[in-house]
Amino acid sequence: MPDAVSSSSLDLAGRVAQNVAAVRSRIDAAARAAGREPSGVRLLVATKSQSAEAVRAVVAAGVDLVGENRVQELVAKAPEIADLVAAGRVEVHMIGHLQRNKVNQVLATASGVESVDSLALAAALSARCARDDRTLDVLVQVNVSGETSKAGVVPDDAPRLAHDVAALPGLRLTGFMTIGANSPDEALVRAGFARLREVRDAVVRSGAPGSETARDLSMGMTGDLELAIAEGATIVRVGTAVFGPRPAPPDNTVPSPR
Ligand SMILES: *Cc1c(COP(=O)(O)O)cnc(C)c1O
């Protein structure tokens, strides 16, 4: 795959625009190879550890969906992108672990939470949304790889959680999210994405209240978006291919972003 452009001779906006275009080419090629319409795959740019200026550059490059992993970062950038959010030019999704006591901070900016992994979290989101008379898009996060470092419910428990979440007021269950296996074995990574698709299909087919909207598959990142699109991804979450490699954490007490 082509390296992200990182030459300092290009300014941030130029670099980001060039890299976003390269990612879109990858998405288009992968969709066509899978016999799918490229428009059926939405690009979410993961902006963790990036500045608000970088988020603005992403939006200027035509991206209409960004994802944040940490509440603190989302809250810090919120005022600097509030105009873009209010104008409907960009949506913000929470894609990292969310604690129940922080839902209010997230809901002030985010239109969606992709990391719903418990009914308790969903209930907290629901209570707040119902009180504010608004609707939040939520995706159930599923751990398809079984790697203990990854959040999400096990695939066997996902339909049950999805049905419970879909029945809550103030929430619209729009699909499922996963982080692919951290493995060079493409067949293994792909099997995990296929598993998420099977979960999605079973839930949509169930006819349970609220499950008919659960069509999104948020899966695939810089290293594996082609495999995810081949298995039906409707949202790919890309960071490194847009911004270049993230700086290494200062020491090993800081949790890895993935
Ligand atoms: C960082 C992150 C991404 C993007 O990963 P890259 O490999 O940098 O493209 C996607 N999803 C989640 C949940 C992330 O934390």
Side-chain angles (χ1 to χ4, degrees), residues 119-170:
L119 189 55
L121 172 60
L125 291 166
S126 165
R128 179 65 198 209
C129 288
R131 204 173 87 199
D132 293 349
D133 199 20
R134 63 174 279 193
T135 303
L136 180 77
D137 291 342
V138 293
L139 291 82
V140 166
Q141 183 172 357
V142 183
N143 182 352
V144 295
S145 68
E147 290 166 17
T148 53
S149 60
K150 293 197 166 82
V153 293
V154 300
D156 284 348
D157 292 346
R160 173 76 188 270
L161 177 59
H163 290 143
D164 290 346
V165 169
L168 291 172

Side-chain angles (χ1 to χ4, degrees), residues 162-163 165-168 171-175 203-204 206-215:
H163 290 143
V165 169
L168 291 172
L171 304 184
R172 175 171 44 232
L173 180 69
T174 56
V203 169
V204 171
S206 72
S211 56
E212 63 284 347
T213 55
R215 296 183 179 277

Side-chain angles (χ1 to χ4, degrees), residues 6 28 35 40 43 50-51 55-57 78 87 89 125 136 142 160 167 186-188 195 214 228 234 239 244 252 256:
S6 57
D28 286 9
L43 171 60
Q50 300 297 326
S51 64
V55 180
R56 297 191 72 91
R89 291 191 54 199
L125 291 166
L136 180 77
V142 183
R160 173 76 188 270
E186 292 196 350
L188 181 83
R195 187 79 182 89
T234 64
N252 62 9
S256 148

Side-chain angles (χ1 to χ4, degrees), residues 44 65 93-95 111-118 121-122 125 136-142 161-162 165 171-178 196 213-219 234-235 237:
L44 176 155
L65 178 59
H93 280 185
M94 182 68 190
I95 61 172
S111 64
V113 174
E114 301 198 4
S115 45
V116 172
D117 59 0
S118 74
L121 172 60
L125 291 166
L136 180 77
D137 291 342
V138 293
L139 291 82
V140 166
Q141 183 172 357
V142 183
L161 177 59
V165 169
L171 304 184
R172 175 171 44 232
L173 180 69
T174 56
F176 299 85
M177 184 270 256
T178 197
L196 195 70
T213 55
R215 296 183 179 277
D216 273 328
L217 292 173
S218 177
M219 58 190 195
T234 64
I235 299 173
R237 308 179 310 272

